[in-house]
Amino acid sequence: MSHPKEIDKSIATDTIIAEINSSPNDEQIDSISFTSEELQTTICIEGESSNSTNESYCSNIIEESEYKPDVPTEFVPVVNSVFKSLNLAVKMYTDYAEMASFHTRLSSQSKYNSQIIKEKYVICNRGGKDKPKPCDTLATSSVKRKPNSNKIIIGCTTKIIFENVYGTTDYNVKKFFEMHNHPLESIEERPYTRKARKMSYSEKEFVVRASKAKIGPTMAHKIRVVLKGGYEYVGAKVTNYKNLRRGVNRILCYKDAQIMINKMNDRRDHYPNYSFEFLRDGDLLAAMFWADEREKAFYAEFGEVISFDATFRTNKYKMVFVPFTAVDHHKKSVTVGAGLLSRETIESYEWLLKDFLRAHEGKAPKIVLTDQDAAIKQAITGDLFKNKDFKKRFNKLVWNMHIKPDEFEKKWDLIINEFNLEDKRWFNDMFELRDKWIPAYFSDTRMSGLMKTTSRSESMNSFFNTYSQSGNLLLHFMMNYDTAIQKQRNTQQELDHQTKKKEIYKGSWYCQYEHLATKNEWELYKVEQLNKNSDLKTKFEVEIKLPTNDVKCTCEHFNRFGTLCRHAFNILMKHGIKEIPEQYIENHWRKDVISRHYNFGRHVYDTGDSEINRRVNQAYYNFEARLEYVRKNKEKMDLFVKKTESMLKEYENDPTNELQKNRTDVEEVGKLMGITIPKDININVPNVQSNKGCGKKSRIQSAAEIAYKNSNKQTRRCSGCGERAPHNLRTCPIKLAAE
């Protein structure tokens, strides 16, 4: 057997053995037999002689190597040195470890009378012993487990022991072991270490807050990178962000309904005039309704006419979301209450509407509008639905505000006969209910801008869907709902502010009027409205009574919309009346209609301690505001950085700071979400229902999916509960309940 003249120091013993085993010379391999000492000698020889250099290198291969950190002497821990607190002692060793390019881990400790820490061990994060993994020797599977190449624990003996100075709060260094059994990290490797990937609390809070605006973990990570100035400044990876969201969902999961009920009950108990009710089906959540004080104020002013329409795909349980919508003094849609239903049944809607009335002190709206879009699509055939002439004539007839009931019935019959719709049940049923939905039958009823409920409801549903998604837990859904409501109310307040600064628009109307008669203190005028784009004229009759300035017009504009028409204004101006009579100024259109309700406060339903969150936000604002003053001046910027570093060290070296206790995952999630994770579960999440708007599972399944579905293969066994179930140890409900 020939041997190389020089051996590369990067070649390990295992590599050489593998080369020997793969040698093509079978006769030579069969005749070779080595002991460990002979193997070392064989590797080291050069021809028939060896030198001291090779012998030294070979001993380094067999014996365990030691690595000493390259740290200035003044930063190396000294035995018997004393610190004012254990926190400062640990901080000293952590700073030393950072300079030495390794990471630490708090290890075992002993206490006096289970109170004061007597000794505290801090070790290298690669120290300790690896836990043995169970192995089933009777397993028939031929698949062998591959060794974990990312194993961290390798038995490094580097550690430091802090001991309490008896009778004081001081701690001294009892023992210090400096040498490592593994290479230390280089500066280039630090951004990719496990410590660098560890998410701080503020970073976790950023992911949670981003989810309120329907920003998932992947997009949140991209935003974080841009805000920080590059990937090198964000240690956590996209996987860490996803794992955080997964971990939150894992802990909440089956407790979701109970957490939601507890959270809403807490709002009802602590926020003024907050209404919340829920319905249960056994131990399952069946329905919910809620309305806060501002929504009640909106309903008190704008609740004559409301609309509601269910929307879907807002949560993972397919509970339908039902927002109640009114129109405010800016002609904008506002929410006056909302509900969630697990089933779209008559009983569920009856319960929801009763709770709606109870929350608004029994005040019923004059008109409630809803959408029958799904029913219309089922009633009308495809060809007819695509017929532009039919749609144009049908819409023009239905939404005509000036037509009379008898004229409507004649034109309805013409359309039904022309398109052969006499046998269509839906059209016959809707004609029987014509006084409930055709404007011609309630021309004297105020519609408050909600004449076409389809556009209002669909617009509101689309608005909420921009903040929610189908995979939401109930808690996440409510967080998204709160964000949407904040956006809605901020828009209203901005419009209030703009309205106060606007000047009154003095327009002109293209009308001609003629005095007809005077009867019983009422003067009758004929008004012809001139159309701008044609020579056609529309005729109306206007009556005015002096000196009370009462005015009536046959266009019924005031009855429908609450504002006087141009025809009435022309007659008022003819009599020298330059101000709108007080009886025609309704609260619905006043600038200050809502401002008098602002004394109830502007509650923001944030997660966590609201006072702490407010101060944290103020701290962020103060920092950014001061940064703006020094951003363009290098000298001021350097001084600003030095001051912030000095302040940071001051807080780090504060002896009153206690050691950070290791919070459990449940405690961490509770703090992030601003909730208390309940131990007892009385209300469970609803079963996933297939409501009419949820859609069909029309995705084409692959051959593998179909084969697996039709196979008799058993579900894998959970190592937590030992049952064959569609979950694993991480998502095992028994394990989660125990935690």
Side-chain angles (χ1 to χ4, degrees), residues 301-302 329-330 496 499-500 586-587 589-598:
E301 298 295 341
F302 314 129
H329 53 311
H330 299 295
D496 283 344
T499 302
K500 293 178 181 178
E586 295 194 343
N587 288 336
W589 305 116
R590 292 182 182 271
K591 294 180 180 180
D592 60 345
V593 64
I594 292 298
S595 61
R596 60 175 176 270
H597 293 287
Y598 280 168

Side-chain angles (χ1 to χ4, degrees), residues 391-441:
K391 291 177 64 176
K392 181 179 180 180
R393 292 176 58 184
F394 186 77
N395 287 328
K396 185 177 181 180
L397 173 63
V398 168
W399 300 114
N400 193 332
M401 294 183 294
H402 305 295
I403 198 173
K404 298 299 180 181
D406 54 350
E407 185 179 357
F408 164 78
E409 294 176 3
K410 292 179 182 179
K411 293 186 177 182
W412 176 277
D413 291 337
L414 289 175
I415 292 179
I416 296 298
N417 294 330
E418 181 177 348
F419 292 94
N420 300 320
L421 302 175
E422 298 88 345
D423 298 331
K424 296 295 183 181
R425 179 180 175 181
W426 183 85
F427 286 95
N428 295 330
D429 292 343
M430 295 307 294
F431 184 74
E432 294 296 327
L433 299 173
R434 58 190 180 279
D435 60 329
K436 300 293 191 299
W437 67 288
I438 297 299
Y441 289 87

Side-chain angles (χ1 to χ4, degrees), residues 297-463:
F298 293 158
Y299 181 79
E301 298 295 341
F302 314 129
E304 292 184 352
V305 180
I306 65 169
S307 70
F308 71 91
D309 182 31
T311 183
F312 307 87
R313 297 179 295 276
T314 61
N315 57 87
K316 67 179 297 184
Y317 313 108
K318 296 185 178 179
M319 296 183 74
V320 293
F321 173 50
V322 187
F324 293 87
T325 304
V327 176
D328 67 2
H329 53 311
H330 299 295
K331 296 185 180 181
K332 297 292 184 180
S333 298
V334 291
T335 303
V336 294
L340 280 173
L341 303 176
S342 63
R343 293 184 180 180
E344 280 198 297
T345 61
I346 295 177
E347 294 77 13
S348 296
Y349 276 105
E350 285 181 348
W351 177 89
L352 182 64
L353 294 175
K354 286 180 181 178
D355 264 66
F356 177 84
L357 292 177
R358 189 182 302 114
H360 296 295
E361 300 179 352
K363 177 186 175 182
K366 293 182 178 179
I367 297 179
V368 178
L369 304 175
T370 187
D371 192 10
Q372 287 207 17
D373 184 61
I376 294 174
K377 290 181 179 179
Q378 293 178 2
I380 302 178
T381 60
D383 295 337
L384 185 61
F385 192 75
K386 297 178 181 178
N387 190 319
K388 294 182 179 180
D389 181 53
F390 168 77
K391 291 177 64 176
K392 181 179 180 180
R393 292 176 58 184
F394 186 77
N395 287 328
K396 185 177 181 180
L397 173 63
V398 168
W399 300 114
N400 193 332
M401 294 183 294
H402 305 295
I403 198 173
K404 298 299 180 181
D406 54 350
E407 185 179 357
F408 164 78
E409 294 176 3
K410 292 179 182 179
K411 293 186 177 182
W412 176 277
D413 291 337
L414 289 175
I415 292 179
I416 296 298
N417 294 330
E418 181 177 348
F419 292 94
N420 300 320
L421 302 175
E422 298 88 345
D423 298 331
K424 296 295 183 181
R425 179 180 175 181
W426 183 85
F427 286 95
N428 295 330
D429 292 343
M430 295 307 294
F431 184 74
E432 294 296 327
L433 299 173
R434 58 190 180 279
D435 60 329
K436 300 293 191 299
W437 67 288
I438 297 299
Y441 289 87
F442 43 87
S443 58
D444 58 342
T445 304
R446 190 72 41 77
M447 293 301 296
S448 304
L450 272 172
M451 182 63 69
K452 294 187 177 182
T453 178
T454 300
S455 59
R456 286 290 180 179
S457 294
E458 290 183 357
S459 175
M460 184 59 68
N461 292 346
S462 176
F463 169 72

Side-chain angles (χ1 to χ4, degrees), residues 516-574:
L516 297 180
T518 303
K519 186 177 181 181
N520 297 330
E521 300 181 351
W522 287 89
E523 293 187 19
L524 179 62
Y525 290 85
K526 181 179 71 173
V527 178
E528 293 183 347
Q529 178 179 327
L530 304 178
N531 298 324
K532 295 181 180 180
N533 299 325
S534 65
D535 296 332
L536 298 177
K537 298 180 180 181
T538 306
K539 298 180 180 180
F540 301 95
E541 291 184 354
V542 180
E543 292 181 272
I544 185 171
K545 183 179 180 180
L546 301 173
T548 58
N549 299 336
D550 294 331
V551 64
K552 302 177 184 177
C553 182
T554 56
C555 72
E556 300 288 349
H557 192 277
F558 182 78
N559 291 336
R560 289 191 176 96
F561 302 103
T563 57
L564 291 176
C565 59
R566 64 183 65 184
H567 323 120
F569 277 122
N570 269 274
I571 303 305
L572 289 171
M573 294 172 65
K574 175 186 180 300

